[in-house]
């Protein structure tokens, strides 16, 4: 795109499967551009967490949708760590538990739950200057995004990353178990009838199997620059 000198902040959509690195890449790109980072997976995770705490089954669509519609979300940064507040409570650590990831995938199958979060997600992106990550951002939530990236990696590599993350947290889980859980989650997220995980036609495919986080970040920054983004945050964009 030609540089008109009146560059508007972009709307950037990053989709991909679990442990593809999309969260870290999207968050870092947002910091460097001075954009807001919005983690839509965290919203589904929070819905799963709160439903569980209220004794609501993840399969109970109506009751879970009611939870989703009633929650108030706030995101803030503590250094580079994204903090997620739900109804004023910090759920950052709680939503990252392994079983809550599965619960998020379960609750996200329900069309009414997705509908309850869609308006909020679109409203957060309305003014631009955002990097939003998830599964259906380029296809459903922000089909008119200025830049769409689909970040993927071989499932074995993603399982290795996840396994290393869990080990670092002191959680002892076998590699095979992590691999199987990821395969099951990919299948559920890709095969659901509503807003399944898939690459938007106009998304740029990035395979992160052999990329470091920094290389992934640089690739997305280059694409953003080509579409007119300029530095505004930590400002490494030349
Ligand atoms: O990105 P994540 O692993 O935190 O997401 C957790 C689950 O939430 C994921 O398995 C499916 C669901 N999800 C979704 O359906 N749509 C999104 N835009 C983001 C997440």
């Amino acid at each position: 795109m030609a540089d008109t000198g009146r560059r508007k902040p972009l709307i950037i959509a990053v989709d991909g499967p679990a442990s593809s690195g999309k969260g870290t890449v999207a968050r870092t790109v947002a910091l460097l551009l001075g954009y807001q980072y919005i983690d839509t997976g965290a919203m589904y995770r929070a819905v799963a967490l709160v439903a569980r705490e209220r004794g609501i089954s993840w399969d109970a669509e109506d009751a879970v949708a009611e939870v989703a519609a009633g929650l108030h979300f706030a995101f803030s940064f503590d250094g580079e760590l994204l903090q997620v507040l739900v109804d004023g409570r910090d759920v950052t650590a709680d939503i990252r538990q392994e079983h809550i990831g599965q619960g998020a995938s379960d609750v996200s199958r329900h069309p009414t739950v997705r509908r309850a979060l869609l308006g909020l997600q679109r409203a957060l992106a309305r003014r631009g200057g955002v990097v939003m990550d998830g599964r259906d951002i380029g296809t459903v939530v922000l089909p008119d995004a200025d830049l769409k990236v689909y970040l993927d990696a071989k499932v074995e590599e993603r399982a290795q990353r996840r396994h290393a993350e869990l080990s670092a947290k002191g959680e002892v889980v076998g590699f095979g178990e992590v691999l199987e859980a990821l395969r099951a989650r990919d299948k559920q997220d890709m095969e659901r009838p509503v807003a399944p995980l898939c690459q938007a036609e106009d998304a740029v495919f990035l395979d992160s199997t052999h990329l470091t986080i920094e290389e992934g970040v640089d690739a997305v920054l280059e694409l953003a620059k080509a579409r007119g983004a300029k530095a505004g945050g930590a400002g490494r964009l030349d």
Side-chain angles (χ1 to χ4, degrees):
M1 196 172 80
D3 182 352
T4 60
R6 291 183 295 111
R7 294 184 288 190
K8 277 203 328 206
L10 305 183
I11 294 178
I12 301 177
V14 181
D15 288 301
S19 296
S20 55
K22 66 183 187 320
T24 313
V25 167
R27 195 176 64 233
T28 309
V29 166
L31 278 172
L32 291 170
L33 291 176
Y35 284 11
Q36 197 185 351
Y37 167 59
I38 300 156
D39 175 358
T40 60
M43 296 179 186
Y44 288 101
R45 286 169 178 269
V47 171
L49 175 75
V50 173
R52 164 78 26 121
E53 288 173 349
R54 294 185 190 167
I56 296 166
S57 158
W58 290 330
D59 290 334
E61 174 162 5
D62 291 349
V64 176
E66 212 177 298
V67 170
L71 294 182
H72 178 265
F73 294 95
F75 298 96
S76 66
F77 277 101
D78 177 10
E80 289 200 0
L81 181 79
L82 177 80
Q83 281 188 314
V84 184
L85 302 180
V86 171
D87 293 339
R89 165 184 154 213
D90 186 346
V91 296
T92 311
D94 291 349
I95 61 171
R96 296 295 156 202
Q97 298 171 85
E98 229 13 40
H99 71 287
I100 297 298
Q102 181 55 47
S105 180
D106 288 354
V107 301
S108 73
R109 285 171 304 154
H110 303 310
T112 50
V113 172
R114 304 200 71 82
R115 214 172 301 138
L117 298 180
L118 182 64
L120 168 67
Q121 292 165 353
R122 286 192 174 146
L124 286 169
R126 194 170 296 137
R127 278 183 298 160
V130 294
V131 183
M132 185 177 286
D133 87 31
R135 300 291 188 289
D136 62 336
I137 309 307
T139 50
V140 174
V141 181
L142 307 172
D144 298 326
D146 301 294
L147 169 62
K148 299 179 186 179
V149 175
Y150 189 90
L151 198 64
D152 205 347
K154 286 216 167 64
V155 70
E156 292 80 7
E157 169 63 24
R158 291 189 282 122
Q160 235 152 46
R161 292 175 190 169
R162 189 80 199 117
H163 187 249
E165 256 173 50
L166 290 171
S167 303
K169 282 203 283 184
E171 292 183 37
V172 186
V173 197
F175 175 77
E177 205 180 312
V178 174
L179 182 64
E180 275 327 297
L182 265 186
R183 283 208 170 108
R185 185 126 75 94
D186 283 357
K187 186 170 158 57
Q188 176 156 291
D189 291 346
M190 288 172 167
E191 293 184 1
R192 68 178 175 225
V194 181
L197 167 65
C198 66
Q199 184 182 345
E201 263 179 31
D202 51 351
V204 178
F205 180 84
L206 261 187
D207 183 350
S208 80
T209 307
H210 304 294
L211 295 185
T212 62
I213 289 293
E214 186 164 67
E215 288 167 335
V217 167
D218 284 345
V220 177
L221 280 178
E222 280 305 314
L223 291 164
K225 254 203 308 187
R227 284 161 176 77
K230 55 180 180 176
R236 205 192 54 184
L237 199 63
D238 327 297

mmCIF file of all heavy atoms in Angstrom, residues 125-170:
data_model
loop_
_atom_site.group_PDB
_atom_site.id
_atom_site.type_symbol
_atom_site.label_atom_id
_atom_site.label_comp_id
_atom_site.label_asym_id
_atom_site.label_seq_id
_atom_site.Cartn_x
_atom_site.Cartn_y
_atom_site.Cartn_z
ATOM 1 N N ALA A 125 -12.496 -3.987 18.700
ATOM 2 C CA ALA A 125 -11.630 -3.761 17.536
ATOM 3 C C ALA A 125 -12.056 -2.547 16.709
ATOM 4 O O ALA A 125 -11.336 -2.129 15.806
ATOM 5 C CB ALA A 125 -11.642 -5.000 16.653
ATOM 6 N N ARG A 126 -13.208 -2.000 17.042
ATOM 7 C CA ARG A 126 -13.842 -1.017 16.164
ATOM 8 C C ARG A 126 -12.924 0.141 15.755
ATOM 9 O O ARG A 126 -12.885 0.543 14.606
ATOM 10 C CB ARG A 126 -15.101 -0.468 16.841
ATOM 11 C CG ARG A 126 -15.994 0.296 15.894
ATOM 12 C CD ARG A 126 -17.333 0.619 16.530
ATOM 13 N NE ARG A 126 -18.100 -0.575 16.836
ATOM 14 C CZ ARG A 126 -18.786 -0.774 17.963
ATOM 15 N NH1 ARG A 126 -18.772 0.139 18.909
ATOM 16 N NH2 ARG A 126 -19.472 -1.878 18.159
ATOM 17 N N ARG A 127 -12.177 0.647 16.738
ATOM 18 C CA ARG A 127 -11.398 1.854 16.425
ATOM 19 C C ARG A 127 -10.028 1.567 15.805
ATOM 20 O O ARG A 127 -9.254 2.470 15.533
ATOM 21 C CB ARG A 127 -11.252 2.705 17.681
ATOM 22 C CG ARG A 127 -12.511 3.555 17.910
ATOM 23 C CD ARG A 127 -12.358 4.444 19.090
ATOM 24 N NE ARG A 127 -12.174 3.639 20.297
ATOM 25 C CZ ARG A 127 -11.649 4.067 21.430
ATOM 26 N NH1 ARG A 127 -11.217 5.296 21.517
ATOM 27 N NH2 ARG A 127 -11.549 3.282 22.468
ATOM 28 N N GLY A 128 -9.721 0.284 15.609
ATOM 29 C CA GLY A 128 -8.433 -0.071 15.019
ATOM 30 C C GLY A 128 -7.321 -0.022 16.046
ATOM 31 O O GLY A 128 -7.546 0.252 17.234
ATOM 32 N N GLY A 129 -6.089 -0.273 15.588
ATOM 33 C CA GLY A 129 -4.975 -0.305 16.515
ATOM 34 C C GLY A 129 -5.061 -1.509 17.436
ATOM 35 O O GLY A 129 -4.778 -1.407 18.622
ATOM 36 N N VAL A 130 -5.497 -2.639 16.865
ATOM 37 C CA VAL A 130 -5.619 -3.851 17.691
ATOM 38 C C VAL A 130 -4.999 -5.057 16.984
ATOM 39 O O VAL A 130 -4.995 -5.139 15.758
ATOM 40 C CB VAL A 130 -7.091 -4.221 18.016
ATOM 41 C CG1 VAL A 130 -7.747 -3.197 18.889
ATOM 42 C CG2 VAL A 130 -7.895 -4.460 16.763
ATOM 43 N N VAL A 131 -4.505 -5.960 17.806
ATOM 44 C CA VAL A 131 -4.132 -7.286 17.329
ATOM 45 C C VAL A 131 -4.998 -8.244 18.126
ATOM 46 O O VAL A 131 -4.927 -8.273 19.364
ATOM 47 C CB VAL A 131 -2.642 -7.597 17.578
ATOM 48 C CG1 VAL A 131 -2.292 -8.963 16.993
ATOM 49 C CG2 VAL A 131 -1.742 -6.517 17.000
ATOM 50 N N MET A 132 -5.851 -8.980 17.410
ATOM 51 C CA MET A 132 -6.766 -9.885 18.106
ATOM 52 C C MET A 132 -6.431 -11.314 17.707
ATOM 53 O O MET A 132 -6.288 -11.600 16.525
ATOM 54 C CB MET A 132 -8.208 -9.554 17.725
ATOM 55 C CG MET A 132 -9.235 -10.370 18.484
ATOM 56 S SD MET A 132 -10.947 -9.891 18.083
ATOM 57 C CE MET A 132 -11.110 -8.352 18.941
ATOM 58 N N ASP A 133 -6.286 -12.198 18.697
ATOM 59 C CA ASP A 133 -5.999 -13.579 18.317
ATOM 60 C C ASP A 133 -7.085 -14.535 18.771
ATOM 61 O O ASP A 133 -7.833 -14.252 19.704
ATOM 62 C CB ASP A 133 -4.584 -13.993 18.756
ATOM 63 C CG ASP A 133 -4.486 -14.541 20.159
ATOM 64 O OD1 ASP A 133 -5.442 -15.157 20.640
ATOM 65 O OD2 ASP A 133 -3.423 -14.384 20.774
ATOM 66 N N GLY A 134 -7.192 -15.652 18.031
ATOM 67 C CA GLY A 134 -8.220 -16.642 18.345
ATOM 68 C C GLY A 134 -8.270 -17.742 17.312
ATOM 69 O O GLY A 134 -7.231 -18.180 16.803
ATOM 70 N N ARG A 135 -9.483 -18.180 17.017
ATOM 71 C CA ARG A 135 -9.665 -19.259 16.040
ATOM 72 C C ARG A 135 -10.460 -18.792 14.818
ATOM 73 O O ARG A 135 -10.313 -19.331 13.733
ATOM 74 C CB ARG A 135 -10.445 -20.431 16.678
ATOM 75 C CG ARG A 135 -9.794 -21.067 17.893
ATOM 76 C CD ARG A 135 -8.540 -21.813 17.489
ATOM 77 N NE ARG A 135 -7.972 -22.587 18.585
ATOM 78 C CZ ARG A 135 -7.365 -22.093 19.653
ATOM 79 N NH1 ARG A 135 -7.232 -20.785 19.777
ATOM 80 N NH2 ARG A 135 -6.870 -22.880 20.590
ATOM 81 N N ASP A 136 -11.355 -17.810 15.029
ATOM 82 C CA ASP A 136 -12.289 -17.394 13.978
ATOM 83 C C ASP A 136 -12.230 -15.889 13.748
ATOM 84 O O ASP A 136 -13.187 -15.288 13.302
ATOM 85 C CB ASP A 136 -13.723 -17.775 14.385
ATOM 86 C CG ASP A 136 -14.164 -17.054 15.673
ATOM 87 O OD1 ASP A 136 -13.290 -16.663 16.476
ATOM 88 O OD2 ASP A 136 -15.380 -16.873 15.862
ATOM 89 N N ILE A 137 -11.091 -15.283 14.074
ATOM 90 C CA ILE A 137 -11.032 -13.816 13.994
ATOM 91 C C ILE A 137 -11.067 -13.349 12.538
ATOM 92 O O ILE A 137 -11.851 -12.479 12.174
ATOM 93 C CB ILE A 137 -9.774 -13.265 14.727
ATOM 94 C CG1 ILE A 137 -9.669 -13.843 16.144
ATOM 95 C CG2 ILE A 137 -9.804 -11.733 14.762
ATOM 96 C CD1 ILE A 137 -10.900 -13.681 16.988
ATOM 97 N N GLY A 138 -10.236 -13.966 11.686
ATOM 98 C CA GLY A 138 -10.210 -13.560 10.282
ATOM 99 C C GLY A 138 -11.431 -14.012 9.504
ATOM 100 O O GLY A 138 -11.795 -13.411 8.498
ATOM 101 N N THR A 139 -12.077 -15.080 9.965
ATOM 102 C CA THR A 139 -13.207 -15.629 9.209
ATOM 103 C C THR A 139 -14.548 -15.049 9.646
ATOM 104 O O THR A 139 -15.424 -14.815 8.832
ATOM 105 C CB THR A 139 -13.267 -17.162 9.371
ATOM 106 O OG1 THR A 139 -13.192 -17.473 10.767
ATOM 107 C CG2 THR A 139 -12.143 -17.842 8.619
ATOM 108 N N VAL A 140 -14.728 -14.837 10.960
ATOM 109 C CA VAL A 140 -16.053 -14.463 11.470
ATOM 110 C C VAL A 140 -16.050 -13.128 12.225
ATOM 111 O O VAL A 140 -16.869 -12.255 11.962
ATOM 112 C CB VAL A 140 -16.604 -15.569 12.415
ATOM 113 C CG1 VAL A 140 -17.915 -15.137 13.061
ATOM 114 C CG2 VAL A 140 -16.782 -16.877 11.662
ATOM 115 N N VAL A 141 -15.133 -12.981 13.164
ATOM 116 C CA VAL A 141 -15.194 -11.809 14.051
ATOM 117 C C VAL A 141 -14.825 -10.533 13.290
ATOM 118 O O VAL A 141 -15.561 -9.548 13.345
ATOM 119 C CB VAL A 141 -14.270 -11.996 15.292
ATOM 120 C CG1 VAL A 141 -14.360 -10.772 16.210
ATOM 121 C CG2 VAL A 141 -14.649 -13.260 16.049
ATOM 122 N N LEU A 142 -13.710 -10.562 12.567
ATOM 123 C CA LEU A 142 -13.242 -9.363 11.863
ATOM 124 C C LEU A 142 -12.938 -9.686 10.400
ATOM 125 O O LEU A 142 -11.775 -9.655 9.973
ATOM 126 C CB LEU A 142 -11.986 -8.805 12.552
ATOM 127 C CG LEU A 142 -12.092 -8.532 14.054
ATOM 128 C CD1 LEU A 142 -10.727 -8.171 14.640
ATOM 129 C CD2 LEU A 142 -13.096 -7.406 14.313
ATOM 130 N N PRO A 143 -13.966 -9.999 9.623
ATOM 131 C CA PRO A 143 -13.701 -10.393 8.236
ATOM 132 C C PRO A 143 -13.075 -9.275 7.402
ATOM 133 O O PRO A 143 -12.481 -9.538 6.365
ATOM 134 C CB PRO A 143 -15.089 -10.782 7.696
ATOM 135 C CG PRO A 143 -16.072 -10.194 8.654
ATOM 136 C CD PRO A 143 -15.400 -10.053 9.965
ATOM 137 N N ASP A 144 -13.187 -8.018 7.864
ATOM 138 C CA ASP A 144 -12.594 -6.904 7.121
ATOM 139 C C ASP A 144 -11.255 -6.452 7.692
ATOM 140 O O ASP A 144 -10.809 -5.335 7.416
ATOM 141 C CB ASP A 144 -13.562 -5.706 7.112
ATOM 142 C CG ASP A 144 -14.866 -6.053 6.418
ATOM 143 O OD1 ASP A 144 -14.816 -6.845 5.456
ATOM 144 O OD2 ASP A 144 -15.932 -5.562 6.851
ATOM 145 N N ALA A 145 -10.626 -7.290 8.487
ATOM 146 C CA ALA A 145 -9.335 -6.909 9.084
ATOM 147 C C ALA A 145 -8.344 -6.498 7.997
ATOM 148 O O ALA A 145 -8.381 -7.014 6.877
ATOM 149 C CB ALA A 145 -8.779 -8.087 9.887
ATOM 150 N N ASP A 146 -7.441 -5.573 8.347
ATOM 151 C CA ASP A 146 -6.451 -5.092 7.367
ATOM 152 C C ASP A 146 -5.393 -6.144 7.084
ATOM 153 O O ASP A 146 -4.800 -6.182 6.019
ATOM 154 C CB ASP A 146 -5.746 -3.840 7.924
ATOM 155 C CG ASP A 146 -6.735 -2.745 8.214
ATOM 156 O OD1 ASP A 146 -7.331 -2.238 7.253
ATOM 157 O OD2 ASP A 146 -6.951 -2.421 9.407
ATOM 158 N N LEU A 147 -5.120 -6.952 8.092
ATOM 159 C CA LEU A 147 -4.111 -8.011 7.933
ATOM 160 C C LEU A 147 -4.606 -9.239 8.679
ATOM 161 O O LEU A 147 -5.018 -9.151 9.843
ATOM 162 C CB LEU A 147 -2.762 -7.554 8.518
ATOM 163 C CG LEU A 147 -1.681 -8.636 8.663
ATOM 164 C CD1 LEU A 147 -1.287 -9.218 7.305
ATOM 165 C CD2 LEU A 147 -0.433 -8.055 9.365
ATOM 166 N N LYS A 148 -4.590 -10.376 7.977
ATOM 167 C CA LYS A 148 -4.963 -11.641 8.616
ATOM 168 C C LYS A 148 -3.784 -12.594 8.518
ATOM 169 O O LYS A 148 -3.225 -12.773 7.434
ATOM 170 C CB LYS A 148 -6.159 -12.269 7.907
ATOM 171 C CG LYS A 148 -7.405 -11.410 7.921
ATOM 172 C CD LYS A 148 -8.519 -12.101 7.167
ATOM 173 C CE LYS A 148 -9.721 -11.178 7.047
ATOM 174 N NZ LYS A 148 -10.814 -11.818 6.293
ATOM 175 N N VAL A 149 -3.452 -13.192 9.651
ATOM 176 C CA VAL A 149 -2.354 -14.152 9.671
ATOM 177 C C VAL A 149 -2.886 -15.457 10.243
ATOM 178 O O VAL A 149 -3.649 -15.447 11.218
ATOM 179 C CB VAL A 149 -1.185 -13.629 10.555
ATOM 180 C CG1 VAL A 149 -0.089 -14.675 10.679
ATOM 181 C CG2 VAL A 149 -0.622 -12.332 9.982
ATOM 182 N N TYR A 150 -2.525 -16.546 9.605
ATOM 183 C CA TYR A 150 -2.861 -17.875 10.147
ATOM 184 C C TYR A 150 -1.546 -18.537 10.518
ATOM 185 O O TYR A 150 -0.707 -18.824 9.661
ATOM 186 C CB TYR A 150 -3.615 -18.703 9.112
ATOM 187 C CG TYR A 150 -4.171 -19.983 9.699
ATOM 188 C CD1 TYR A 150 -5.441 -20.008 10.265
ATOM 189 C CD2 TYR A 150 -3.426 -21.156 9.691
ATOM 190 C CE1 TYR A 150 -5.956 -21.167 10.813
ATOM 191 C CE2 TYR A 150 -3.938 -22.320 10.233
ATOM 192 C CZ TYR A 150 -5.199 -22.327 10.798
ATOM 193 O OH TYR A 150 -5.705 -23.483 11.350
ATOM 194 N N LEU A 151 -1.354 -18.704 11.819
ATOM 195 C CA LEU A 151 -0.089 -19.229 12.321
ATOM 196 C C LEU A 151 -0.273 -20.692 12.704
ATOM 197 O O LEU A 151 -1.140 -21.030 13.524
ATOM 198 C CB LEU A 151 0.320 -18.414 13.553
ATOM 199 C CG LEU A 151 1.763 -18.485 14.006
ATOM 200 C CD1 LEU A 151 2.699 -17.919 12.950
ATOM 201 C CD2 LEU A 151 1.937 -17.696 15.299
ATOM 202 N N ASP A 152 0.528 -21.541 12.127
ATOM 203 C CA ASP A 152 0.392 -22.977 12.403
ATOM 204 C C ASP A 152 1.784 -23.558 12.667
ATOM 205 O O ASP A 152 2.800 -22.907 12.410
ATOM 206 C CB ASP A 152 -0.256 -23.659 11.188
ATOM 207 C CG ASP A 152 -0.977 -24.946 11.583
ATOM 208 O OD1 ASP A 152 -0.768 -25.434 12.708
ATOM 209 O OD2 ASP A 152 -1.739 -25.464 10.754
ATOM 210 N N ALA A 153 1.808 -24.773 13.166
ATOM 211 C CA ALA A 153 3.060 -25.511 13.319
ATOM 212 C C ALA A 153 2.687 -26.980 13.425
ATOM 213 O O ALA A 153 1.554 -27.306 13.807
ATOM 214 C CB ALA A 153 3.814 -25.064 14.577
ATOM 215 N N LYS A 154 3.619 -27.854 13.104
ATOM 216 C CA LYS A 154 3.352 -29.295 13.198
ATOM 217 C C LYS A 154 2.903 -29.633 14.610
ATOM 218 O O LYS A 154 3.418 -29.096 15.589
ATOM 219 C CB LYS A 154 4.637 -30.067 12.892
ATOM 220 C CG LYS A 154 5.014 -30.075 11.447
ATOM 221 C CD LYS A 154 5.629 -31.449 11.080
ATOM 222 C CE LYS A 154 5.736 -31.601 9.585
ATOM 223 N NZ LYS A 154 6.677 -30.602 8.991
ATOM 224 N N VAL A 155 1.961 -30.567 14.708
ATOM 225 C CA VAL A 155 1.393 -30.863 16.025
ATOM 226 C C VAL A 155 2.453 -31.387 17.001
ATOM 227 O O VAL A 155 2.422 -31.087 18.202
ATOM 228 C CB VAL A 155 0.168 -31.814 15.895
ATOM 229 C CG1 VAL A 155 0.579 -33.214 15.485
ATOM 230 C CG2 VAL A 155 -0.647 -31.840 17.186
ATOM 231 N N GLU A 156 3.435 -32.129 16.495
ATOM 232 C CA GLU A 156 4.495 -32.642 17.389
ATOM 233 C C GLU A 156 5.312 -31.492 17.971
ATOM 234 O O GLU A 156 5.690 -31.517 19.144
ATOM 235 C CB GLU A 156 5.442 -33.601 16.638
ATOM 236 C CG GLU A 156 4.821 -34.919 16.219
ATOM 237 C CD GLU A 156 3.972 -34.800 14.946
ATOM 238 O OE1 GLU A 156 3.973 -33.706 14.308
ATOM 239 O OE2 GLU A 156 3.296 -35.796 14.610
ATOM 240 N N GLU A 157 5.567 -30.479 17.158
ATOM 241 C CA GLU A 157 6.325 -29.320 17.631
ATOM 242 C C GLU A 157 5.494 -28.540 18.654
ATOM 243 O O GLU A 157 5.993 -28.107 19.696
ATOM 244 C CB GLU A 157 6.691 -28.428 16.424
ATOM 245 C CG GLU A 157 7.252 -27.048 16.766
ATOM 246 C CD GLU A 157 8.583 -27.085 17.516
ATOM 247 O OE1 GLU A 157 9.300 -28.095 17.391
ATOM 248 O OE2 GLU A 157 8.880 -26.098 18.227
ATOM 249 N N ARG A 158 4.199 -28.393 18.364
ATOM 250 C CA ARG A 158 3.334 -27.679 19.312
ATOM 251 C C ARG A 158 3.250 -28.437 20.632
ATOM 252 O O ARG A 158 3.237 -27.837 21.708
ATOM 253 C CB ARG A 158 1.942 -27.476 18.696
ATOM 254 C CG ARG A 158 1.965 -26.488 17.542
ATOM 255 C CD ARG A 158 0.587 -26.126 17.066
ATOM 256 N NE ARG A 158 -0.034 -27.130 16.229
ATOM 257 C CZ ARG A 158 -1.186 -27.738 16.477
ATOM 258 N NH1 ARG A 158 -1.863 -27.444 17.577
ATOM 259 N NH2 ARG A 158 -1.678 -28.624 15.661
ATOM 260 N N ALA A 159 3.201 -29.763 20.551
ATOM 261 C CA ALA A 159 3.133 -30.570 21.766
ATOM 262 C C ALA A 159 4.425 -30.421 22.576
ATOM 263 O O ALA A 159 4.399 -30.353 23.808
ATOM 264 C CB ALA A 159 2.887 -32.034 21.414
ATOM 265 N N GLN A 160 5.547 -30.339 21.858
ATOM 266 C CA GLN A 160 6.812 -30.164 22.559
ATOM 267 C C GLN A 160 6.851 -28.835 23.320
ATOM 268 O O GLN A 160 7.269 -28.755 24.464
ATOM 269 C CB GLN A 160 7.955 -30.190 21.555
ATOM 270 C CG GLN A 160 9.010 -31.221 21.891
ATOM 271 C CD GLN A 160 9.711 -31.693 20.631
ATOM 272 O OE1 GLN A 160 10.093 -30.866 19.798
ATOM 273 N NE2 GLN A 160 9.865 -32.990 20.482
ATOM 274 N N ARG A 161 6.364 -27.780 22.651
ATOM 275 C CA ARG A 161 6.318 -26.449 23.297
ATOM 276 C C ARG A 161 5.424 -26.499 24.532
ATOM 277 O O ARG A 161 5.762 -25.977 25.587
ATOM 278 C CB ARG A 161 5.751 -25.413 22.322
ATOM 279 C CG ARG A 161 6.661 -25.137 21.148
ATOM 280 C CD ARG A 161 5.963 -24.182 20.178
ATOM 281 N NE ARG A 161 6.715 -24.080 18.933
ATOM 282 C CZ ARG A 161 6.266 -23.496 17.829
ATOM 283 N NH1 ARG A 161 5.073 -22.937 17.813
ATOM 284 N NH2 ARG A 161 7.000 -23.429 16.751
ATOM 285 N N ARG A 162 4.257 -27.112 24.360
ATOM 286 C CA ARG A 162 3.285 -27.188 25.467
ATOM 287 C C ARG A 162 3.862 -27.993 26.621
ATOM 288 O O ARG A 162 3.723 -27.643 27.785
ATOM 289 C CB ARG A 162 2.009 -27.849 24.929
ATOM 290 C CG ARG A 162 0.861 -27.817 25.857
ATOM 291 C CD ARG A 162 0.175 -26.455 25.829
ATOM 292 N NE ARG A 162 -0.634 -26.286 27.017
ATOM 293 C CZ ARG A 162 -0.435 -25.360 27.931
ATOM 294 N NH1 ARG A 162 0.538 -24.478 27.807
ATOM 295 N NH2 ARG A 162 -1.218 -25.278 28.986
ATOM 296 N N HIS A 163 4.530 -29.098 26.276
ATOM 297 C CA HIS A 163 5.116 -29.967 27.288
ATOM 298 C C HIS A 163 6.184 -29.203 28.074
ATOM 299 O O HIS A 163 6.244 -29.278 29.306
ATOM 300 C CB HIS A 163 5.711 -31.209 26.606
ATOM 301 C CG HIS A 163 6.183 -32.245 27.566
ATOM 302 N ND1 HIS A 163 7.523 -32.543 27.739
ATOM 303 C CD2 HIS A 163 5.507 -33.020 28.442
ATOM 304 C CE1 HIS A 163 7.635 -33.471 28.668
ATOM 305 N NE2 HIS A 163 6.435 -33.782 29.116
ATOM 306 N N ALA A 164 6.994 -28.435 27.355
ATOM 307 C CA ALA A 164 8.046 -27.659 28.013
ATOM 308 C C ALA A 164 7.433 -26.604 28.938
ATOM 309 O O ALA A 164 7.903 -26.368 30.056
ATOM 310 C CB ALA A 164 8.935 -26.986 26.959
ATOM 311 N N GLU A 165 6.353 -25.974 28.479
ATOM 312 C CA GLU A 165 5.666 -24.954 29.290
ATOM 313 C C GLU A 165 5.135 -25.556 30.587
ATOM 314 O O GLU A 165 5.290 -24.997 31.671
ATOM 315 C CB GLU A 165 4.448 -24.452 28.518
ATOM 316 C CG GLU A 165 4.574 -23.093 27.872
ATOM 317 C CD GLU A 165 3.346 -22.835 27.002
ATOM 318 O OE1 GLU A 165 2.194 -23.018 27.473
ATOM 319 O OE2 GLU A 165 3.565 -22.490 25.841
ATOM 320 N N LEU A 166 4.511 -26.741 30.452
ATOM 321 C CA LEU A 166 3.936 -27.401 31.624
ATOM 322 C C LEU A 166 5.043 -27.821 32.578
ATOM 323 O O LEU A 166 4.932 -27.652 33.795
ATOM 324 C CB LEU A 166 3.106 -28.625 31.205
ATOM 325 C CG LEU A 166 1.800 -28.299 30.489
ATOM 326 C CD1 LEU A 166 1.155 -29.560 29.911
ATOM 327 C CD2 LEU A 166 0.819 -27.619 31.451
ATOM 328 N N SER A 167 6.137 -28.356 32.049
ATOM 329 C CA SER A 167 7.256 -28.773 32.894
ATOM 330 C C SER A 167 7.813 -27.576 33.651
ATOM 331 O O SER A 167 8.136 -27.661 34.836
ATOM 332 C CB SER A 167 8.376 -29.402 32.061
ATOM 333 O OG SER A 167 7.868 -30.485 31.339
ATOM 334 N N ALA A 168 7.901 -26.427 32.951
ATOM 335 C CA ALA A 168 8.423 -25.212 33.594
ATOM 336 C C ALA A 168 7.526 -24.785 34.751
ATOM 337 O O ALA A 168 7.979 -24.184 35.721
ATOM 338 C CB ALA A 168 8.542 -24.090 32.566
ATOM 339 N N LYS A 169 6.230 -25.113 34.637
ATOM 340 C CA LYS A 169 5.291 -24.765 35.724
ATOM 341 C C LYS A 169 5.285 -25.841 36.817
ATOM 342 O O LYS A 169 4.493 -25.778 37.758
ATOM 343 C CB LYS A 169 3.860 -24.631 35.165
ATOM 344 C CG LYS A 169 3.617 -23.313 34.435
ATOM 345 C CD LYS A 169 2.137 -22.951 34.387
ATOM 346 C CE LYS A 169 1.367 -23.750 33.364
ATOM 347 N NZ LYS A 169 -0.046 -23.345 33.246
ATOM 348 N N GLY A 170 6.108 -26.881 36.623
ATOM 349 C CA GLY A 170 6.182 -27.949 37.614
ATOM 350 C C GLY A 170 5.099 -29.006 37.453
ATOM 351 O O GLY A 170 4.881 -29.840 38.324
#
